[in-house]
Amino acid sequence: MTSFIQTLILGLLVGALYALMASGLTLIFGVMRVINLAHGAFAVLAAFLTYTLWQHLGLDPILSIPIVMAVMFAIGWLVYVTVIRHVRGSHVSMTVLATFGIALMLEGIMGFIWGNTSTSVRVSYTDASIALGPLYIPQVMLIAAGIAVLILGGLYMLLNHTWAGRAIRAASANEGGALLVGVSVATIAALTFAIGVSTLGAGGAMLSTIYPFLPGSHYQWIARLLAIVVLGGLGSLPGAILGALVIGVGEIAATSYLGAAWPVAVPFLVIIVVLIARPQGILGTRLREDAVA
């Protein structure tokens, strides 16, 4: 029983971080219907930025989060203006190819700047744990989960209690209707993409303290994040959170009961099962073309 509770706690803590990282991916799809295959590469880039601030300035990853988020917001806006806006509205294959191209470009840039060796950020709380009777909770995972909850709460407030948030939700629900009431959909799309990449930046900053990373590890992360949004329902933020918790628990359980090699397979197994059993995901809805078919 103790082993099960330990696994559940660790899975939920990891899932909270995954939820933060996946929130931007599902938000971008919800507004622009763009599947951003560069999302994993942006996460690794945020981890490398955090590593640089820690290595050269001695800045704690937690304190670096506002800086990393601001830099990632600017990068997200720049990428949207230079690439995404030109393919937005095109066939889905064009957006997939464009974002995959961005991912490959970022991988090359990161390899040139930081090299292709495995990297991680080691701070005082990296290996520390809190004992609760027979249970042990890693401090770094607890901190990452707390930051994820705070930023997701801030994202919820932004989407539901600000004009920009209402405009984002309007563009997501009905782009034509949003245009009719005076919403600049082009500006909102750029803002949404930048926000999605910015929130991912916070997740990437904490990722650097938990997992080793290198430029090519973005393939692993995009597979995991896609599994989360497919499970929860593309475009559904609550679905992404629920999917992230399920994936987090599933990965920790696979590690504990099956072996260290199995967690890599969990995202792919989830995608296969969901596409067969419920293609729209747990909280997603069928698209109009699905209903007609």
Side-chain angles (χ1 to χ4, degrees), residues 151-176:
I151 294 179
L152 286 171
L155 183 61
Y156 173 84
M157 296 296 292
L158 171 68
L159 292 176
N160 291 277
H161 298 284
T162 66
W163 181 89
R166 288 191 289 271
I168 290 172
R169 289 189 291 116
S172 175
N174 189 328
E175 185 172 313

Side-chain angles (χ1 to χ4, degrees), residues 243-269:
L245 296 177
V246 172
I247 293 290
V249 172
E251 287 189 352
I252 298 298
T255 302
S256 300
Y257 300 113
L258 298 177
W262 279 94
V264 179
V266 169
F268 299 101
L269 291 174

Side-chain angles (χ1 to χ4, degrees), residues 2-280:
T2 299
S3 175
F4 172 77
I5 296 174
Q6 179 78 60
T7 298
L8 182 62
I9 291 173
L10 292 178
L12 292 176
L13 293 177
V14 170
L17 177 62
Y18 290 176
L20 174 60
M21 297 174 68
S23 62
L25 183 60
T26 199
L27 184 66
I28 290 168
F29 179 84
V31 173
M32 293 182 286
R33 297 298 185 265
V34 170
I35 300 174
N36 180 21
L37 293 187
H39 212 66
F42 284 127
V44 177
L45 176 60
F48 272 117
L49 291 174
T50 304
Y51 170 78
T52 300
L53 291 172
W54 169 72
Q55 185 183 48
H56 295 288
L57 301 178
L59 193 62
D60 188 282
I62 298 173
L63 298 179
S64 71
I65 287 176
I67 299 173
V68 174
M69 289 185 70
V71 172
M72 295 305 294
F73 182 94
I75 291 174
W77 192 289
L78 178 64
V79 168
Y80 177 84
V81 171
T82 55
V83 180
I84 304 299
R85 73 184 178 99
H86 297 292
V87 297
R88 179 174 174 260
S90 304
H91 190 271
V92 64
S93 61
M94 289 297 296
T95 60
V96 166
L97 286 173
T99 55
F100 185 63
I102 293 169
L104 294 179
M105 182 184 69
L106 288 174
E107 181 183 354
I109 292 172
M110 290 186 288
F112 178 77
I113 296 174
W114 289 286
N116 287 298
T117 57
S118 183
T119 305
S120 63
V121 175
R122 309 294 295 179
V123 288
S124 60
Y125 49 84
T126 298
D127 298 316
S129 297
I130 298 173
L132 296 176
L135 304 175
Y136 291 89
I137 302 176
Q139 286 188 15
V140 67
M141 288 188 178
L142 187 61
I143 292 170
I147 290 172
V149 170
L150 286 175
I151 294 179
L152 286 171
L155 183 61
Y156 173 84
M157 296 296 292
L158 171 68
L159 292 176
N160 291 277
H161 298 284
T162 66
W163 181 89
R166 288 191 289 271
I168 290 172
R169 289 189 291 116
S172 175
N174 189 328
E175 185 172 313
L179 285 169
L180 288 175
V181 297
V183 174
S184 174
V185 173
T187 301
I188 289 301
L191 178 64
T192 301
F193 194 88
I195 290 174
V197 175
S198 179
T199 57
L200 175 69
M206 293 313 301
L207 176 155
S208 69
T209 65
I210 300 174
Y211 299 100
F213 55 92
L214 68 162
S217 59
H218 70 92
Y219 297 106
Q220 170 190 348
W221 284 103
I222 191 59
R224 180 177 282 119
L225 297 176
L226 282 174
I228 289 169
V229 298
V230 168
L231 175 60
L234 283 167
S236 171
L237 186 57
I241 295 173
L242 179 59
L245 296 177
V246 172
I247 293 290
V249 172
E251 287 189 352
I252 298 298
T255 302
S256 300
Y257 300 113
L258 298 177
W262 279 94
V264 179
V266 169
F268 299 101
L269 291 174
V270 167
I271 290 175
I272 292 170
V273 171
V274 171
L275 290 178
I276 293 173
R278 186 176 170 84
Q280 70 268 38

